[in-house]
Amino acid sequence: MCAHPKMPVATESCCGLNTNNPTKVHVGCEYLGELVSYNSNTQRCSSITGANVCDDSGVDTNSCGECCCQVSISNSSPKDNLFLWTNASCKMQLKVRIDGLAAIVHNPERNTTVIPYVNPDRQINYISLPWPKDVLGDEIFPTMDDDCGNGTCALLQNWTCLCDANVIESLVFSEMPTRDDVLTRLKIGSFEPDYFDIGDYKILESSTDVDVYTCEAL
């Protein structure tokens, strides 16, 4: 599945350490349960002679020790899924039904099994989106009636449209916001900075109701 390279969501994994099969991945961890970002994973592999990040051909279970349990896939229990990093590309897409409900699906470059909850063929978790509306108040979204957005998306056999999705990151505020501004415009929560290692987050600016931090760990 796809993952944000800046987020610590996968296990450390390096190739090139198995002389018989260089694409076998060595799974490492500094403690059980550790997850790292893609950049951190790349740095760790670079610090090991002969190691690199690759599109692996399986885990080298003879070298990972107790860290072997860091990788497991469970279709019946998504919360138990543990993943490792590869350098293969992955495309996020949006599957749009004829009623406007949409599901996020993942399309990895590698020909592999995609877990059900982001699988283009097996995804059943649809959500509503704030589609724009025309002058009559009807929502505008790609459907089979308009050739899935005039060919922008692909028409699938079940009358849904499969569209490429682009994630755009931009600043929300250009100056110190008020508490109400933060609560109104920011929709994704996070752990408190004190939860992370000392030095991972640095306070940038502070007011009576709002503290602004910058991440130094990425």
Side-chain angles (χ1 to χ4, degrees):
M1 65 181 294
C2 305
H4 196 303
K6 292 184 178 180
M7 299 299 294
V9 293
T11 298
E12 175 190 328
S13 52
C14 303
C15 300
L17 299 178
N18 186 317
T19 55
N20 295 322
N21 190 343
T23 59
K24 278 284 188 181
V25 66
H26 168 77
V27 174
C29 61
E30 293 187 357
Y31 56 88
L32 289 179
E34 181 193 32
L35 300 176
V36 298
S37 67
Y38 183 80
N39 289 339
S40 295
N41 187 71
T42 302
Q43 292 172 3
R44 290 191 183 183
C45 293
S46 298
S47 67
I48 304 173
T49 303
N52 59 79
V53 182
C54 73
D55 188 4
D56 71 278
S57 61
V59 175
D60 184 359
T61 56
N62 294 321
S63 67
C64 53
E66 63 180 7
C67 296
C68 282
C69 65
Q70 292 276 100
V71 180
S72 66
I73 305 298
S74 172
N75 290 332
S76 60
S77 181
K79 68 182 178 61
D80 293 329
N81 286 322
L82 297 170
F83 303 98
L84 53 82
W85 287 110
T86 77
N87 63 356
S89 62
C90 188
K91 182 187 296 184
M92 291 186 63
Q93 296 177 303
L94 200 65
K95 190 175 181 179
V96 185
R97 294 194 327 196
I98 57 176
D99 58 2
L101 295 181
I104 297 173
V105 298
H106 294 183
N107 185 7
E109 172 191 17
R110 177 181 176 184
N111 184 20
T112 187
T113 301
V114 179
I115 52 181
Y117 55 89
V118 289
N119 188 303
D121 299 320
R122 302 175 64 185
Q123 168 66 280
I124 59 174
N125 299 314
Y126 286 83
I127 60 175
S128 60
L129 295 177
W131 298 108
K133 296 182 179 181
D134 59 21
V135 293
L136 299 177
D138 295 325
E139 292 182 324
I140 303 172
F141 53 85
T143 67
M144 60 181 298
D145 295 330
D146 68 352
D147 191 26
C148 286
N150 298 319
T152 300
C153 307
L155 178 61
L156 303 181
Q157 293 181 346
N158 56 357
W159 300 344
T160 59
C161 295
L162 186 63
C163 311
D164 290 342
N166 295 315
V167 178
I168 300 175
E169 295 183 357
S170 60
L171 292 175
V172 180
F173 305 110
S174 59
E175 58 185 13
M176 189 66 172
T178 65
R179 181 179 183 275
D180 289 341
D181 288 338
V182 171
L183 295 177
T184 301
R185 301 186 62 184
L186 302 184
K187 305 299 182 181
I188 302 176
S190 177
F191 293 107
E192 292 187 13
D194 291 344
Y195 177 86
F196 301 91
D197 292 336
I198 296 176
D200 281 0
Y201 282 87
K202 178 181 178 182
I203 192 162
L204 186 66
E205 194 171 347
S206 183
S207 68
T208 304
D209 297 321
V210 178
D211 291 330
V212 178
Y213 290 83
T214 180
C215 182
E216 302 290 318
L218 300 179

